[in-house]
């Protein structure tokens, strides 16, 4: 991992938090640098997550179509130690 790649990942996490704050409080954001564009967001409540999913699913971002899906909280928390 280069410093430039790490910096780009941090920039994307900050951008995603800011972009998604309009839907609700984002409590965790993770950009998977090893994937082909996977991003994980956790909201403080289901209402915020639902608004984000509705607004982002199907949207074009960074040259790709967003496929927004829900994850069980327990599974998410185990994966990220959140």
């Amino acid at each position: 991992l280069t410093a430039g790649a790490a910096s780009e990942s941090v920039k994307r996490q900050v951008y995603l938090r800011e972009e998604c704050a309009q839907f609700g409080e984002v409590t965790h954001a993770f950009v998977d640098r090893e994937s082909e564009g996977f991003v994980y967001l956790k909201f403080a409540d289901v209402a915020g997550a639902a608004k984000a999913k509705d607004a982002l699913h199907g949207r074009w971002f960074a040259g790709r179509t967003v496929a927004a899906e829900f994850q069980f909280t327990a599974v998410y928390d185990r994966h990220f130690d959140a």
Side-chain angles (χ1 to χ4, degrees), residues 56 58-66:
L56 299 174
R59 180 174 158 184
W60 193 254
F61 178 77
R64 298 185 178 167
T65 302
V66 174

Side-chain angles (χ1 to χ4, degrees), residues 1-14 31 33:
L1 180 65
T2 66
S7 176
E8 186 62 32
S9 177
V10 170
K11 286 179 188 176
R12 284 190 178 161
Q13 286 179 23
V14 169
V31 176
R33 294 185 300 262

Side-chain angles (χ1 to χ4, degrees), residues 45-60:
D45 58 41
V46 174
K51 288 179 197 172
K53 181 181 179 291
D54 290 345
L56 299 174
H57 187 74
R59 180 174 158 184
W60 193 254

Side-chain angles (χ1 to χ4, degrees), residues 4-70:
S7 176
E8 186 62 32
S9 177
V10 170
K11 286 179 188 176
R12 284 190 178 161
Q13 286 179 23
V14 169
Y15 171 79
L16 287 166
R17 279 184 178 268
E18 291 173 354
E19 177 73 13
C20 291
Q22 65 184 310
F23 308 116
E25 180 186 353
V26 178
T27 60
H28 181 257
F30 178 76
V31 176
D32 186 351
R33 294 185 300 262
E34 303 300 319
S35 73
E36 293 188 30
F38 282 78
V39 173
Y40 301 86
L41 299 166
K42 184 175 182 181
F43 285 81
D45 58 41
V46 174
K51 288 179 197 172
K53 181 181 179 291
D54 290 345
L56 299 174
H57 187 74
R59 180 174 158 184
W60 193 254
F61 178 77
R64 298 185 178 167
T65 302
V66 174
E69 299 177 1
F70 287 117

